[in-house]
């Protein structure tokens, strides 16, 4: 990561270093000194680009939220059946044992207590959930998915499976619980003529 960071300008290095540290340590554990060391930037550079830790953290959280939203849209917004797109979302490559860089922020009391820091987290999770509900509705409208499904409830279940799967995987030090949860949900959602 360090060599990739060094090819960026100081502002970008600070944001990327903060993203990594927030993912690993949370807001309290992400000190300005740790950010500066990870970014290879001095204190003057940090405060030239950002008013302080909170402004820098907000930029990093927004970047992580934008990436999460874009990754979801990359699989949910393409052609294909509703089931195939949900399957692609659930099976896309993830760093399961590290957890979700956005989802982990929901466990950070400092982030959740501060409305401005919480806003990008809440917004992107809501956007992904809404996009999933749209895909489920498309599957219902086309007759592909079993009638009677509630798109909002299914979208919440898909998102909860991913986020809960991260927690189970981290708790056991194995991605097996994540994979098992995903397979179980896909089996429940599978159209009658399809087995995942």
């Amino acid at each position: 990561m360090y060599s990739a960071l060094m090819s960026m300008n100081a502002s970008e290095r600070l944001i990327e270093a903060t993203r990594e540290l927030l993912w690993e340590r949370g807001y309290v554990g992400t000190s300005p000194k740790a950010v500066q060391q990870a970014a290879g930037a001095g204190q003057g550079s940090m405060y030239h680009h950002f008013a302080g830790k909170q402004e820098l953290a907000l930029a990093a959280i927004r970047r992580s939220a934008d990436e999460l939203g874009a990754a979801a849209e990359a699989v949910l917004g393409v052609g294909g059946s509703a089931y195939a797109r949900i399957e692609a979302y659930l099976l896309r490559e993830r760093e399961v044992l590290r957890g979700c860089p956005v989802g982990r922020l929901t466990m950070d009391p400092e982030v959740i207590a501060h409305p401005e820091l919480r806003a990008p987290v809440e917004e992107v999770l809501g956007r992904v959930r809404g996009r999933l509900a749209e895909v489920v509705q498309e599957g219902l409208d086309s007759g592909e998915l079993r009638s009677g499904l509630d798109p909002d409830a299914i979208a919440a279940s898909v998102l909860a499976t991913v986020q809960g799967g991260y927690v189970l995987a981290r708790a056991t030090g194995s991605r097996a619980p994540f994979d098992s949860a995903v397979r179980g949900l896909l089996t429940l959602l599978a159209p009658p003529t399809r087995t995942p």
Side-chain angles (χ1 to χ4, degrees), residues 36-62:
Q36 292 161 23
Q37 288 176 340
Q43 183 175 0
S45 179
M46 180 174 162
Y47 290 104
H48 171 73
H49 294 288
F50 301 96
K53 175 181 172 178
Q54 183 177 314
E55 185 178 303
L56 177 56
L58 181 58
I61 292 168
R62 283 182 178 147

Side-chain angles (χ1 to χ4, degrees), residues 62-105:
R62 283 182 178 147
R63 175 86 48 89
S64 292
D66 288 347
E67 281 192 9
L68 177 72
E73 187 58 30
V75 292
L76 295 172
V78 297
S81 72
Y83 181 87
R85 288 182 285 157
I86 293 168
E87 181 180 46
Y89 172 75
L90 287 167
L91 296 177
R92 78 174 178 79
E93 189 61 37
R94 293 176 167 87
E95 292 186 66
V96 172
L97 293 178
R98 285 190 76 191
C100 175
V102 174
R104 285 187 66 183
L105 294 171

Side-chain angles (χ1 to χ4, degrees), residues 80-84 138-146 189-192 194:
S81 72
Y83 181 87
E138 289 172 26
L140 291 169
D141 292 345
S142 70
E144 173 196 352
L145 296 178
R146 192 173 63 248
L189 291 177
R194 179 171 184 160

Side-chain angles (χ1 to χ4, degrees), residues 23 68 89-90 92-104 159-175 177-179 181-182:
W23 196 359
L68 177 72
Y89 172 75
L90 287 167
R92 78 174 178 79
E93 189 61 37
R94 293 176 167 87
E95 292 186 66
V96 172
L97 293 178
R98 285 190 76 191
C100 175
V102 174
R104 285 187 66 183
L159 201 53
T161 297
V162 170
Q163 295 300 323
Y166 282 128
V167 170
L168 295 173
R170 286 178 56 79
T172 62
S174 166
R175 70 171 290 134
F178 181 95
D179 294 338
V182 165

